[in-house]
Amino acid sequence: MRCLRVIGAGLLLLAGGVAYADPCNITIESNDMMQFSAHEMAVPADCAAVEVTLRHAGKLPATVMGHDWVLAKDSDVSAIVHAGQSAGLTHGYLPPNDPRIIAATRVLGGGESTTVKFSTAGLIHGERYSFFCTSPGHATVMRGRFTIGGATRVAQAGK
Ligand SMILES: [Cu+2]
């Protein structure tokens, strides 16, 4: 299983002929094996907004292997996943208008991609946040830590 840490290197921008990665934009992939391509995501504290692009690199349709990317406080994950199952695929496996959901994409099938942009104004430094997929049964595997700010930004080799 791949276990990578993605550090805002998702999008390359060209400015003045110099390519650089915008650390506030992150791309993460999902696949037909019910996996995200990273178990940790981190953005610098000075990102006013964060853009997350989710790609489904698989081939299976959303009804069989649908994935979304949802961000919430670690302590809210279980309740959101549970409520999402009741909501069903029609509602993107998300409880409608749930204030515990900080950001969420729609559910993707294989070959699709989507981007969600959200403000970091409500994120608390030091709080534990998780990203996860709300498709039934997926969050046990498709879940990782989302960190905003300073020291945690440094990548650890081999992790
Ligand atoms: Cu999933």
Side-chain angles (χ1 to χ4, degrees):
M1 186 185 292
R2 291 160 74 193
C3 184
L4 301 174
R5 185 164 196 192
V6 178
I7 303 192
L11 191 65
L12 284 176
L13 299 177
L14 282 171
V18 179
Y20 65 93
D22 182 340
C24 303
N25 296 329
I26 301 181
T27 296
I28 184 166
E29 287 196 346
S30 55
N31 62 24
D32 285 343
M33 314 263 289
M34 215 169 88
Q35 294 167 330
F36 279 131
S37 57
H39 288 155
E40 290 186 53
M41 299 170 78
V43 293
D46 59 359
C47 293
V50 172
E51 242 182 67
V52 173
T53 297
L54 173 66
R55 285 201 195 108
H56 192 320
K59 290 189 165 65
L60 295 172
T63 48
V64 179
M65 188 51 73
H67 300 307
D68 60 1
W69 184 93
V70 182
L71 179 66
K73 274 187 196 172
D74 200 45
S75 53
D76 288 334
V77 173
S78 299
I80 292 169
V81 167
H82 188 73
Q85 287 192 35
S86 307
L89 179 56
T90 319
H91 297 283
Y93 296 120
L94 291 172
N97 305 314
D98 191 320
R100 296 171 298 189
I101 298 170
I102 298 165
T105 69
R106 64 188 177 90
V107 175
L108 301 182
E112 296 184 307
S113 104
T114 189
T115 299
V116 62
K117 187 173 185 178
F118 56 96
S119 166
T120 58
L123 297 182
I124 304 155
H125 190 81
E127 178 66 73
R128 291 177 70 90
Y129 296 101
S130 287
F131 65 90
F132 52 101
C133 173
T134 55
S135 279
H138 289 206
T140 49
V141 181
M142 298 185 73
R143 176 171 175 167
R145 187 189 298 185
F146 184 94
T147 311
I148 181 157
T152 50
R153 210 187 140 194
V154 180
Q156 290 166 6
K159 232 192 149 186

